[in-house]
PDB file of all heavy atoms in Angstrom:
ATOM      1  N   THR A   6     -52.704 -30.436 -37.058  1.00 65.00           N
ATOM      2  CA  THR A   6     -51.493 -29.896 -36.419  1.00 65.00           C
ATOM      3  C   THR A   6     -50.333 -30.102 -37.278  1.00 65.00           C
ATOM      4  O   THR A   6     -50.024 -31.180 -37.666  1.00 65.00           O
ATOM      5  CB  THR A   6     -51.287 -30.631 -35.070  1.00 65.00           C
ATOM      6  OG1 THR A   6     -52.431 -30.531 -34.248  1.00 65.00           O
ATOM      7  CG2 THR A   6     -50.036 -30.042 -34.364  1.00 65.00           C
ATOM      8  N   ASN A   7     -49.732 -28.988 -37.692  1.00 83.00           N
ATOM      9  CA  ASN A   7     -48.512 -28.956 -38.527  1.00 83.00           C
ATOM     10  C   ASN A   7     -47.562 -27.918 -37.952  1.00 83.00           C
ATOM     11  O   ASN A   7     -47.981 -26.954 -37.414  1.00 83.00           O
ATOM     12  CB  ASN A   7     -48.854 -28.596 -39.959  1.00 83.00           C
ATOM     13  CG  ASN A   7     -49.780 -29.657 -40.562  1.00 83.00           C
ATOM     14  OD1 ASN A   7     -49.317 -30.778 -40.744  1.00 83.00           O
ATOM     15  ND2 ASN A   7     -50.928 -29.249 -40.918  1.00 83.00           N
ATOM     16  N   LYS A   8     -46.279 -28.104 -38.192  1.00 91.00           N
ATOM     17  CA  LYS A   8     -45.273 -27.131 -37.823  1.00 91.00           C
ATOM     18  C   LYS A   8     -44.507 -26.777 -39.083  1.00 91.00           C
ATOM     19  O   LYS A   8     -43.945 -27.670 -39.720  1.00 91.00           O
ATOM     20  CB  LYS A   8     -44.367 -27.684 -36.768  1.00 91.00           C
ATOM     21  CG  LYS A   8     -43.382 -26.631 -36.206  1.00 91.00           C
ATOM     22  CD  LYS A   8     -42.509 -27.192 -35.174  1.00 91.00           C
ATOM     23  CE  LYS A   8     -43.166 -27.011 -33.761  1.00 91.00           C
ATOM     24  NZ  LYS A   8     -42.190 -27.380 -32.671  1.00 91.00           N
ATOM     25  N   LEU A   9     -44.527 -25.524 -39.400  1.00 92.00           N
ATOM     26  CA  LEU A   9     -43.683 -24.979 -40.540  1.00 92.00           C
ATOM     27  C   LEU A   9     -42.428 -24.414 -39.986  1.00 92.00           C
ATOM     28  O   LEU A   9     -42.447 -23.727 -38.947  1.00 92.00           O
ATOM     29  CB  LEU A   9     -44.473 -23.882 -41.298  1.00 92.00           C
ATOM     30  CG  LEU A   9     -45.736 -24.235 -41.997  1.00 92.00           C
ATOM     31  CD1 LEU A   9     -46.284 -22.981 -42.686  1.00 92.00           C
ATOM     32  CD2 LEU A   9     -45.495 -25.321 -43.028  1.00 92.00           C
ATOM     33  N   TYR A  10     -41.321 -24.648 -40.668  1.00 92.00           N
ATOM     34  CA  TYR A  10     -40.063 -24.137 -40.298  1.00 92.00           C
ATOM     35  C   TYR A  10     -39.613 -23.071 -41.373  1.00 92.00           C
ATOM     36  O   TYR A  10     -39.875 -23.287 -42.539  1.00 92.00           O
ATOM     37  CB  TYR A  10     -39.020 -25.174 -40.235  1.00 92.00           C
ATOM     38  CG  TYR A  10     -39.236 -26.142 -39.017  1.00 92.00           C
ATOM     39  CD1 TYR A  10     -39.818 -27.362 -39.210  1.00 92.00           C
ATOM     40  CD2 TYR A  10     -38.876 -25.739 -37.726  1.00 92.00           C
ATOM     41  CE1 TYR A  10     -40.025 -28.233 -38.156  1.00 92.00           C
ATOM     42  CE2 TYR A  10     -39.093 -26.617 -36.654  1.00 92.00           C
ATOM     43  CZ  TYR A  10     -39.659 -27.812 -36.858  1.00 92.00           C
ATOM     44  OH  TYR A  10     -39.939 -28.647 -35.798  1.00 92.00           O
ATOM     45  N   PHE A  11     -38.986 -22.047 -40.873  1.00 93.00           N
ATOM     46  CA  PHE A  11     -38.568 -20.901 -41.717  1.00 93.00           C
ATOM     47  C   PHE A  11     -37.079 -20.711 -41.528  1.00 93.00           C
ATOM     48  O   PHE A  11     -36.537 -20.880 -40.462  1.00 93.00           O
ATOM     49  CB  PHE A  11     -39.295 -19.668 -41.324  1.00 93.00           C
ATOM     50  CG  PHE A  11     -40.765 -19.648 -41.612  1.00 93.00           C
ATOM     51  CD1 PHE A  11     -41.633 -20.343 -40.768  1.00 93.00           C
ATOM     52  CD2 PHE A  11     -41.264 -18.976 -42.691  1.00 93.00           C
ATOM     53  CE1 PHE A  11     -42.948 -20.385 -40.994  1.00 93.00           C
ATOM     54  CE2 PHE A  11     -42.655 -18.982 -42.911  1.00 93.00           C
ATOM     55  CZ  PHE A  11     -43.475 -19.740 -42.115  1.00 93.00           C
ATOM     56  N   THR A  12     -36.383 -20.375 -42.667  1.00 90.00           N
ATOM     57  CA  THR A  12     -34.982 -20.048 -42.616  1.00 90.00           C
ATOM     58  C   THR A  12     -34.869 -18.553 -42.642  1.00 90.00           C
ATOM     59  O   THR A  12     -35.465 -17.912 -43.454  1.00 90.00           O
ATOM     60  CB  THR A  12     -34.246 -20.691 -43.821  1.00 90.00           C
ATOM     61  OG1 THR A  12     -34.467 -22.127 -43.729  1.00 90.00           O
ATOM     62  CG2 THR A  12     -32.764 -20.397 -43.784  1.00 90.00           C
ATOM     63  N   ASN A  13     -33.948 -18.086 -41.800  1.00 79.00           N
ATOM     64  CA  ASN A  13     -33.707 -16.665 -41.686  1.00 79.00           C
ATOM     65  C   ASN A  13     -32.427 -16.285 -42.504  1.00 79.00           C
ATOM     66  O   ASN A  13     -31.375 -16.591 -42.137  1.00 79.00           O
ATOM     67  CB  ASN A  13     -33.475 -16.289 -40.231  1.00 79.00           C
ATOM     68  CG  ASN A  13     -33.199 -14.849 -39.998  1.00 79.00           C
ATOM     69  OD1 ASN A  13     -33.147 -14.080 -40.949  1.00 79.00           O
ATOM     70  ND2 ASN A  13     -32.967 -14.471 -38.788  1.00 79.00           N
ATOM     71  N   TYR A  14     -32.696 -15.599 -43.655  1.00 65.00           N
ATOM     72  CA  TYR A  14     -31.591 -15.195 -44.459  1.00 65.00           C
ATOM     73  C   TYR A  14     -31.226 -13.733 -44.288  1.00 65.00           C
ATOM     74  O   TYR A  14     -30.364 -13.204 -44.949  1.00 65.00           O
ATOM     75  CB  TYR A  14     -31.939 -15.443 -45.957  1.00 65.00           C
ATOM     76  CG  TYR A  14     -31.887 -16.881 -46.276  1.00 65.00           C
ATOM     77  CD1 TYR A  14     -33.059 -17.622 -46.544  1.00 65.00           C
ATOM     78  CD2 TYR A  14     -30.722 -17.608 -46.306  1.00 65.00           C
ATOM     79  CE1 TYR A  14     -33.065 -18.951 -46.856  1.00 65.00           C
ATOM     80  CE2 TYR A  14     -30.654 -18.956 -46.593  1.00 65.00           C
ATOM     81  CZ  TYR A  14     -31.837 -19.626 -46.845  1.00 65.00           C
ATOM     82  OH  TYR A  14     -31.796 -20.956 -47.107  1.00 65.00           O
ATOM     83  N   LYS A  15     -31.974 -13.082 -43.415  1.00 62.00           N
ATOM     84  CA  LYS A  15     -31.721 -11.656 -43.240  1.00 62.00           C
ATOM     85  C   LYS A  15     -30.666 -11.397 -42.173  1.00 62.00           C
ATOM     86  O   LYS A  15     -30.366 -10.263 -41.885  1.00 62.00           O
ATOM     87  CB  LYS A  15     -33.005 -10.879 -42.922  1.00 62.00           C
ATOM     88  CG  LYS A  15     -33.898 -11.551 -41.951  1.00 62.00           C
ATOM     89  CD  LYS A  15     -35.196 -10.881 -41.802  1.00 62.00           C
ATOM     90  CE  LYS A  15     -35.909 -11.521 -40.612  1.00 62.00           C
ATOM     91  NZ  LYS A  15     -36.943 -10.893 -40.131  1.00 62.00           N
ATOM     92  N   GLU A  16     -30.233 -12.402 -41.531  1.00 58.00           N
ATOM     93  CA  GLU A  16     -29.127 -12.423 -40.536  1.00 58.00           C
ATOM     94  C   GLU A  16     -29.386 -11.419 -39.441  1.00 58.00           C
ATOM     95  O   GLU A  16     -28.600 -10.546 -39.144  1.00 58.00           O
ATOM     96  CB  GLU A  16     -27.809 -12.080 -41.267  1.00 58.00           C
ATOM     97  CG  GLU A  16     -27.416 -13.160 -42.253  1.00 58.00           C
ATOM     98  CD  GLU A  16     -26.015 -12.952 -42.801  1.00 58.00           C
ATOM     99  OE1 GLU A  16     -25.194 -12.303 -42.198  1.00 58.00           O
ATOM    100  OE2 GLU A  16     -25.793 -13.487 -43.920  1.00 58.00           O
ATOM    101  N   ILE A  17     -30.480 -11.571 -38.811  1.00 59.00           N
ATOM    102  CA  ILE A  17     -30.814 -10.781 -37.623  1.00 59.00           C
ATOM    103  C   ILE A  17     -30.017 -11.357 -36.458  1.00 59.00           C
ATOM    104  O   ILE A  17     -30.038 -12.511 -36.147  1.00 59.00           O
ATOM    105  CB  ILE A  17     -32.336 -10.871 -37.254  1.00 59.00           C
ATOM    106  CG1 ILE A  17     -33.162 -10.203 -38.324  1.00 59.00           C
ATOM    107  CG2 ILE A  17     -32.572 -10.189 -35.909  1.00 59.00           C
ATOM    108  CD1 ILE A  17     -34.667 -10.311 -38.102  1.00 59.00           C
ATOM    109  N   GLU A  18     -29.159 -10.549 -35.923  1.00 63.00           N
ATOM    110  CA  GLU A  18     -28.217 -10.981 -34.935  1.00 63.00           C
ATOM    111  C   GLU A  18     -28.866 -11.441 -33.570  1.00 63.00           C
ATOM    112  O   GLU A  18     -28.329 -12.197 -32.878  1.00 63.00           O
ATOM    113  CB  GLU A  18     -27.188  -9.866 -34.682  1.00 63.00           C
ATOM    114  CG  GLU A  18     -26.278  -9.664 -35.867  1.00 63.00           C
ATOM    115  CD  GLU A  18     -25.333  -8.520 -35.639  1.00 63.00           C
ATOM    116  OE1 GLU A  18     -25.264  -8.033 -34.523  1.00 63.00           O
ATOM    117  OE2 GLU A  18     -24.652  -8.121 -36.639  1.00 63.00           O
ATOM    118  N   ASP A  19     -30.042 -10.900 -33.307  1.00 67.00           N
ATOM    119  CA  ASP A  19     -30.683 -11.195 -32.028  1.00 67.00           C
ATOM    120  C   ASP A  19     -31.533 -12.447 -32.001  1.00 67.00           C
ATOM    121  O   ASP A  19     -32.164 -12.774 -31.023  1.00 67.00           O
ATOM    122  CB  ASP A  19     -31.431  -9.998 -31.525  1.00 67.00           C
ATOM    123  CG  ASP A  19     -32.616  -9.610 -32.337  1.00 67.00           C
ATOM    124  OD1 ASP A  19     -32.701 -10.105 -33.482  1.00 67.00           O
ATOM    125  OD2 ASP A  19     -33.470  -8.837 -31.878  1.00 67.00           O
ATOM    126  N   ILE A  20     -31.573 -13.121 -33.137  1.00 74.00           N
ATOM    127  CA  ILE A  20     -32.411 -14.369 -33.169  1.00 74.00           C
ATOM    128  C   ILE A  20     -31.441 -15.565 -33.400  1.00 74.00           C
ATOM    129  O   ILE A  20     -30.859 -15.651 -34.447  1.00 74.00           O
ATOM    130  CB  ILE A  20     -33.499 -14.327 -34.270  1.00 74.00           C
ATOM    131  CG1 ILE A  20     -34.400 -13.154 -33.993  1.00 74.00           C
ATOM    132  CG2 ILE A  20     -34.261 -15.630 -34.365  1.00 74.00           C
ATOM    133  CD1 ILE A  20     -35.427 -12.912 -35.082  1.00 74.00           C
ATOM    134  N   GLY A  21     -31.398 -16.418 -32.412  1.00 77.00           N
ATOM    135  CA  GLY A  21     -30.376 -17.489 -32.532  1.00 77.00           C
ATOM    136  C   GLY A  21     -30.841 -18.867 -32.842  1.00 77.00           C
ATOM    137  O   GLY A  21     -30.069 -19.733 -33.116  1.00 77.00           O
ATOM    138  N   GLY A  22     -32.158 -19.129 -32.715  1.00 84.00           N
ATOM    139  CA  GLY A  22     -32.602 -20.478 -32.918  1.00 84.00           C
ATOM    140  C   GLY A  22     -33.436 -20.716 -34.162  1.00 84.00           C
ATOM    141  O   GLY A  22     -33.449 -19.856 -35.074  1.00 84.00           O
ATOM    142  N   GLN A  23     -34.149 -21.803 -34.255  1.00 89.00           N
ATOM    143  CA  GLN A  23     -34.943 -22.155 -35.407  1.00 89.00           C
ATOM    144  C   GLN A  23     -36.342 -21.493 -35.330  1.00 89.00           C
ATOM    145  O   GLN A  23     -37.095 -21.697 -34.373  1.00 89.00           O
ATOM    146  CB  GLN A  23     -35.155 -23.670 -35.437  1.00 89.00           C
ATOM    147  CG  GLN A  23     -36.096 -24.236 -36.539  1.00 89.00           C
ATOM    148  CD  GLN A  23     -35.583 -23.879 -37.969  1.00 89.00           C
ATOM    149  OE1 GLN A  23     -34.523 -24.289 -38.322  1.00 89.00           O
ATOM    150  NE2 GLN A  23     -36.370 -23.183 -38.683  1.00 89.00           N
ATOM    151  N   LEU A  24     -36.705 -20.737 -36.333  1.00 93.00           N
ATOM    152  CA  LEU A  24     -37.943 -20.043 -36.410  1.00 93.00           C
ATOM    153  C   LEU A  24     -39.066 -21.011 -36.878  1.00 93.00           C
ATOM    154  O   LEU A  24     -38.821 -21.826 -37.838  1.00 93.00           O
ATOM    155  CB  LEU A  24     -37.877 -18.890 -37.425  1.00 93.00           C
ATOM    156  CG  LEU A  24     -39.052 -17.993 -37.638  1.00 93.00           C
ATOM    157  CD1 LEU A  24     -39.477 -17.347 -36.348  1.00 93.00           C
ATOM    158  CD2 LEU A  24     -38.791 -16.984 -38.684  1.00 93.00           C
ATOM    159  N   TYR A  25     -40.169 -21.004 -36.212  1.00 95.00           N
ATOM    160  CA  TYR A  25     -41.230 -21.944 -36.513  1.00 95.00           C
ATOM    161  C   TYR A  25     -42.618 -21.321 -36.401  1.00 95.00           C
ATOM    162  O   TYR A  25     -42.782 -20.290 -35.764  1.00 95.00           O
ATOM    163  CB  TYR A  25     -41.196 -23.194 -35.615  1.00 95.00           C
ATOM    164  CG  TYR A  25     -41.581 -22.916 -34.191  1.00 95.00           C
ATOM    165  CD1 TYR A  25     -42.902 -23.038 -33.785  1.00 95.00           C
ATOM    166  CD2 TYR A  25     -40.665 -22.462 -33.268  1.00 95.00           C
ATOM    167  CE1 TYR A  25     -43.292 -22.713 -32.476  1.00 95.00           C
ATOM    168  CE2 TYR A  25     -41.038 -22.152 -31.958  1.00 95.00           C
ATOM    169  CZ  TYR A  25     -42.367 -22.297 -31.587  1.00 95.00           C
ATOM    170  OH  TYR A  25     -42.738 -21.962 -30.317  1.00 95.00           O
ATOM    171  N   LEU A  26     -43.592 -21.971 -37.020  1.00 96.00           N
ATOM    172  CA  LEU A  26     -44.991 -21.601 -36.892  1.00 96.00           C
ATOM    173  C   LEU A  26     -45.756 -22.938 -36.676  1.00 96.00           C
ATOM    174  O   LEU A  26     -45.792 -23.778 -37.558  1.00 96.00           O
ATOM    175  CB  LEU A  26     -45.504 -20.962 -38.173  1.00 96.00           C
ATOM    176  CG  LEU A  26     -46.992 -20.670 -38.238  1.00 96.00           C
ATOM    177  CD1 LEU A  26     -47.514 -19.813 -37.089  1.00 96.00           C
ATOM    178  CD2 LEU A  26     -47.349 -20.066 -39.608  1.00 96.00           C
ATOM    179  N   ASN A  27     -46.316 -23.098 -35.453  1.00 95.00           N
ATOM    180  CA  ASN A  27     -47.086 -24.287 -35.156  1.00 95.00           C
ATOM    181  C   ASN A  27     -48.522 -24.025 -35.402  1.00 95.00           C
ATOM    182  O   ASN A  27     -49.121 -23.079 -34.801  1.00 95.00           O
ATOM    183  CB  ASN A  27     -46.803 -24.653 -33.658  1.00 95.00           C
ATOM    184  CG  ASN A  27     -47.291 -26.038 -33.326  1.00 95.00           C
ATOM    185  OD1 ASN A  27     -47.062 -26.980 -34.044  1.00 95.00           O
ATOM    186  ND2 ASN A  27     -48.032 -26.164 -32.266  1.00 95.00           N
ATOM    187  N   ILE A  28     -49.165 -24.791 -36.219  1.00 94.00           N
ATOM    188  CA  ILE A  28     -50.556 -24.597 -36.667  1.00 94.00           C
ATOM    189  C   ILE A  28     -51.416 -25.672 -36.066  1.00 94.00           C
ATOM    190  O   ILE A  28     -51.219 -26.836 -36.315  1.00 94.00           O
ATOM    191  CB  ILE A  28     -50.743 -24.570 -38.182  1.00 94.00           C
ATOM    192  CG1 ILE A  28     -49.821 -23.525 -38.821  1.00 94.00           C
ATOM    193  CG2 ILE A  28     -52.193 -24.365 -38.579  1.00 94.00           C
ATOM    194  CD1 ILE A  28     -49.729 -23.640 -40.329  1.00 94.00           C
ATOM    195  N   GLU A  29     -52.408 -25.265 -35.251  1.00 93.00           N
ATOM    196  CA  GLU A  29     -53.263 -26.224 -34.563  1.00 93.00           C
ATOM    197  C   GLU A  29     -54.764 -25.966 -34.883  1.00 93.00           C
ATOM    198  O   GLU A  29     -55.635 -26.338 -34.150  1.00 93.00           O
ATOM    199  CB  GLU A  29     -53.113 -26.135 -33.030  1.00 93.00           C
ATOM    200  CG  GLU A  29     -51.653 -26.470 -32.627  1.00 93.00           C
ATOM    201  CD  GLU A  29     -51.506 -26.555 -31.138  1.00 93.00           C
ATOM    202  OE1 GLU A  29     -52.509 -26.725 -30.388  1.00 93.00           O
ATOM    203  OE2 GLU A  29     -50.345 -26.331 -30.708  1.00 93.00           O
ATOM    204  N   THR A  30     -55.009 -25.447 -36.054  1.00 93.00           N
ATOM    205  CA  THR A  30     -56.328 -25.111 -36.490  1.00 93.00           C
ATOM    206  C   THR A  30     -56.376 -25.194 -37.985  1.00 93.00           C
ATOM    207  O   THR A  30     -55.380 -25.609 -38.615  1.00 93.00           O
ATOM    208  CB  THR A  30     -56.667 -23.651 -36.029  1.00 93.00           C
ATOM    209  OG1 THR A  30     -58.046 -23.396 -36.375  1.00 93.00           O
ATOM    210  CG2 THR A  30     -55.731 -22.634 -36.693  1.00 93.00           C
ATOM    211  N   LYS A  31     -57.499 -24.878 -38.579  1.00 93.00           N
ATOM    212  CA  LYS A  31     -57.560 -24.861 -40.024  1.00 93.00           C
ATOM    213  C   LYS A  31     -56.771 -23.690 -40.623  1.00 93.00           C
ATOM    214  O   LYS A  31     -56.703 -22.628 -39.989  1.00 93.00           O
ATOM    215  CB  LYS A  31     -59.036 -24.784 -40.510  1.00 93.00           C
ATOM    216  CG  LYS A  31     -59.790 -26.052 -40.293  1.00 93.00           C
ATOM    217  CD  LYS A  31     -61.151 -25.936 -40.923  1.00 93.00           C
ATOM    218  CE  LYS A  31     -61.978 -27.169 -40.704  1.00 93.00           C
ATOM    219  NZ  LYS A  31     -63.343 -26.987 -41.339  1.00 93.00           N
ATOM    220  N   TRP A  32     -56.273 -23.884 -41.775  1.00 94.00           N
ATOM    221  CA  TRP A  32     -55.538 -22.814 -42.491  1.00 94.00           C
ATOM    222  C   TRP A  32     -55.799 -23.025 -43.995  1.00 94.00           C
ATOM    223  O   TRP A  32     -56.331 -24.052 -44.427  1.00 94.00           O
ATOM    224  CB  TRP A  32     -54.060 -22.926 -42.227  1.00 94.00           C
ATOM    225  CG  TRP A  32     -53.397 -24.227 -42.661  1.00 94.00           C
ATOM    226  CD1 TRP A  32     -53.389 -25.409 -41.964  1.00 94.00           C
ATOM    227  CD2 TRP A  32     -52.739 -24.450 -43.881  1.00 94.00           C
ATOM    228  NE1 TRP A  32     -52.748 -26.353 -42.733  1.00 94.00           N
ATOM    229  CE2 TRP A  32     -52.346 -25.781 -43.922  1.00 94.00           C
ATOM    230  CE3 TRP A  32     -52.428 -23.633 -45.013  1.00 94.00           C
ATOM    231  CZ2 TRP A  32     -51.645 -26.341 -44.997  1.00 94.00           C
ATOM    232  CZ3 TRP A  32     -51.766 -24.195 -46.033  1.00 94.00           C
ATOM    233  CH2 TRP A  32     -51.373 -25.519 -46.013  1.00 94.00           C
ATOM    234  N   CYS A  33     -55.475 -21.996 -44.752  1.00 95.00           N
ATOM    235  CA  CYS A  33     -55.666 -22.101 -46.156  1.00 95.00           C
ATOM    236  C   CYS A  33     -54.580 -21.250 -46.858  1.00 95.00           C
ATOM    237  O   CYS A  33     -53.920 -20.418 -46.286  1.00 95.00           O
ATOM    238  CB  CYS A  33     -57.032 -21.764 -46.655  1.00 95.00           C
ATOM    239  SG  CYS A  33     -57.619 -20.151 -46.167  1.00 95.00           S
ATOM    240  N   LEU A  34     -54.484 -21.547 -48.154  1.00 94.00           N
ATOM    241  CA  LEU A  34     -53.467 -20.820 -48.972  1.00 94.00           C
ATOM    242  C   LEU A  34     -54.235 -20.126 -50.077  1.00 94.00           C
ATOM    243  O   LEU A  34     -54.958 -20.737 -50.835  1.00 94.00           O
ATOM    244  CB  LEU A  34     -52.474 -21.846 -49.524  1.00 94.00           C
ATOM    245  CG  LEU A  34     -51.331 -21.211 -50.359  1.00 94.00           C
ATOM    246  CD1 LEU A  34     -50.424 -20.331 -49.506  1.00 94.00           C
ATOM    247  CD2 LEU A  34     -50.501 -22.366 -50.993  1.00 94.00           C
ATOM    248  N   PHE A  35     -54.082 -18.777 -50.155  1.00 96.00           N
ATOM    249  CA  PHE A  35     -54.697 -18.014 -51.204  1.00 96.00           C
ATOM    250  C   PHE A  35     -53.662 -17.651 -52.261  1.00 96.00           C
ATOM    251  O   PHE A  35     -52.590 -17.142 -51.852  1.00 96.00           O
ATOM    252  CB  PHE A  35     -55.329 -16.718 -50.608  1.00 96.00           C
ATOM    253  CG  PHE A  35     -56.488 -16.972 -49.748  1.00 96.00           C
ATOM    254  CD1 PHE A  35     -56.396 -16.869 -48.326  1.00 96.00           C
ATOM    255  CD2 PHE A  35     -57.760 -17.292 -50.264  1.00 96.00           C
ATOM    256  CE1 PHE A  35     -57.465 -17.118 -47.574  1.00 96.00           C
ATOM    257  CE2 PHE A  35     -58.885 -17.499 -49.472  1.00 96.00           C
ATOM    258  CZ  PHE A  35     -58.750 -17.414 -48.085  1.00 96.00           C
ATOM    259  N   GLU A  36     -54.010 -17.867 -53.534  1.00 93.00           N
ATOM    260  CA  GLU A  36     -53.089 -17.482 -54.581  1.00 93.00           C
ATOM    261  C   GLU A  36     -53.064 -15.952 -54.726  1.00 93.00           C
ATOM    262  O   GLU A  36     -52.020 -15.381 -55.031  1.00 93.00           O
ATOM    263  CB  GLU A  36     -53.545 -18.165 -55.869  1.00 93.00           C
ATOM    264  CG  GLU A  36     -52.516 -17.954 -56.996  1.00 93.00           C
ATOM    265  CD  GLU A  36     -52.818 -18.815 -58.202  1.00 93.00           C
ATOM    266  OE1 GLU A  36     -53.633 -19.784 -58.097  1.00 93.00           O
ATOM    267  OE2 GLU A  36     -52.242 -18.505 -59.277  1.00 93.00           O
ATOM    268  N   ASN A  37     -54.208 -15.323 -54.523  1.00 89.00           N
ATOM    269  CA  ASN A  37     -54.355 -13.876 -54.519  1.00 89.00           C
ATOM    270  C   ASN A  37     -55.115 -13.493 -53.267  1.00 89.00           C
ATOM    271  O   ASN A  37     -55.986 -14.228 -52.806  1.00 89.00           O
ATOM    272  CB  ASN A  37     -55.082 -13.420 -55.782  1.00 89.00           C
ATOM    273  CG  ASN A  37     -54.412 -13.774 -57.066  1.00 89.00           C
ATOM    274  OD1 ASN A  37     -53.272 -13.393 -57.267  1.00 89.00           O
ATOM    275  ND2 ASN A  37     -55.027 -14.603 -57.891  1.00 89.00           N
ATOM    276  N   SER A  38     -54.842 -12.315 -52.768  1.00 85.00           N
ATOM    277  CA  SER A  38     -55.524 -11.896 -51.565  1.00 85.00           C
ATOM    278  C   SER A  38     -57.066 -11.739 -51.884  1.00 85.00           C
ATOM    279  O   SER A  38     -57.429 -11.033 -52.806  1.00 85.00           O
ATOM    280  CB  SER A  38     -55.009 -10.542 -51.046  1.00 85.00           C
ATOM    281  OG  SER A  38     -53.712 -10.684 -50.689  1.00 85.00           O
ATOM    282  N   PRO A  39     -57.870 -12.398 -51.099  1.00 90.00           N
ATOM    283  CA  PRO A  39     -59.351 -12.257 -51.359  1.00 90.00           C
ATOM    284  C   PRO A  39     -59.856 -10.869 -50.834  1.00 90.00           C
ATOM    285  O   PRO A  39     -59.206 -10.175 -50.077  1.00 90.00           O
ATOM    286  CB  PRO A  39     -59.965 -13.367 -50.507  1.00 90.00           C
ATOM    287  CG  PRO A  39     -58.939 -13.563 -49.368  1.00 90.00           C
ATOM    288  CD  PRO A  39     -57.601 -13.284 -49.999  1.00 90.00           C
ATOM    289  N   ILE A  40     -61.034 -10.568 -51.230  1.00 90.00           N
ATOM    290  CA  ILE A  40     -61.680  -9.336 -50.787  1.00 90.00           C
ATOM    291  C   ILE A  40     -61.922  -9.452 -49.288  1.00 90.00           C
ATOM    292  O   ILE A  40     -61.740  -8.511 -48.508  1.00 90.00           O
ATOM    293  CB  ILE A  40     -62.963  -9.071 -51.546  1.00 90.00           C
ATOM    294  CG1 ILE A  40     -62.639  -8.719 -52.985  1.00 90.00           C
ATOM    295  CG2 ILE A  40     -63.744  -7.914 -50.898  1.00 90.00           C
ATOM    296  CD1 ILE A  40     -63.831  -8.682 -53.902  1.00 90.00           C
ATOM    297  N   GLU A  41     -62.352 -10.635 -48.842  1.00 93.00           N
ATOM    298  CA  GLU A  41     -62.670 -10.870 -47.467  1.00 93.00           C
ATOM    299  C   GLU A  41     -62.043 -12.231 -47.031  1.00 93.00           C
ATOM    300  O   GLU A  41     -62.237 -13.246 -47.763  1.00 93.00           O
ATOM    301  CB  GLU A  41     -64.180 -10.847 -47.224  1.00 93.00           C
ATOM    302  CG  GLU A  41     -64.625 -10.920 -45.785  1.00 93.00           C
ATOM    303  CD  GLU A  41     -66.115 -10.733 -45.666  1.00 93.00           C
ATOM    304  OE1 GLU A  41     -66.646  -9.791 -46.281  1.00 93.00           O
ATOM    305  OE2 GLU A  41     -66.726 -11.512 -44.964  1.00 93.00           O
ATOM    306  N   TYR A  42     -61.359 -12.238 -45.892  1.00 95.00           N
ATOM    307  CA  TYR A  42     -60.793 -13.469 -45.368  1.00 95.00           C
ATOM    308  C   TYR A  42     -61.831 -14.210 -44.530  1.00 95.00           C
ATOM    309  O   TYR A  42     -62.764 -13.611 -44.061  1.00 95.00           O
ATOM    310  CB  TYR A  42     -59.551 -13.180 -44.569  1.00 95.00           C
ATOM    311  CG  TYR A  42     -58.359 -12.793 -45.346  1.00 95.00           C
ATOM    312  CD1 TYR A  42     -58.058 -11.461 -45.589  1.00 95.00           C
ATOM    313  CD2 TYR A  42     -57.590 -13.737 -45.948  1.00 95.00           C
ATOM    314  CE1 TYR A  42     -56.943 -11.092 -46.371  1.00 95.00           C
ATOM    315  CE2 TYR A  42     -56.496 -13.428 -46.786  1.00 95.00           C
ATOM    316  CZ  TYR A  42     -56.176 -12.100 -46.931  1.00 95.00           C
ATOM    317  OH  TYR A  42     -55.123 -11.738 -47.681  1.00 95.00           O
ATOM    318  N   PRO A  43     -61.622 -15.527 -44.312  1.00 96.00           N
ATOM    319  CA  PRO A  43     -62.565 -16.308 -43.472  1.00 96.00           C
ATOM    320  C   PRO A  43     -62.645 -15.664 -42.056  1.00 96.00           C
ATOM    321  O   PRO A  43     -61.675 -15.160 -41.566  1.00 96.00           O
ATOM    322  CB  PRO A  43     -61.963 -17.671 -43.425  1.00 96.00           C
ATOM    323  CG  PRO A  43     -61.093 -17.798 -44.641  1.00 96.00           C
ATOM    324  CD  PRO A  43     -60.590 -16.378 -44.868  1.00 96.00           C
TER     325      PRO A  43
END
């Protein structure tokens, strides 16, 4: 379980709070897009 926070630099007026992604499963980071994802 991890929570990633994102900063909004595009100044969308209709989003007023902290943007987040809460991950409760396995994840991975690909340097290049694979032919097939898990």
Side-chain angles (χ1 to χ4, degrees):
T6 303
N7 296 296
K8 186 180 270 189
L9 296 179
Y10 291 100
F11 293 76
T12 300
N13 179 1
Y14 289 108
K15 47 187 186 164
E16 298 187 22
I17 296 177
E18 294 177 7
D19 65 344
I20 300 174
Q23 174 63 58
L24 182 60
Y25 71 90
L26 172 60
N27 193 47
I28 304 169
E29 298 185 24
T30 185
K31 287 186 181 179
W32 63 277
C33 55
L34 183 64
F35 291 103
E36 189 170 343
N37 299 301
S38 296
I40 294 171
E41 190 172 311
Y42 286 98

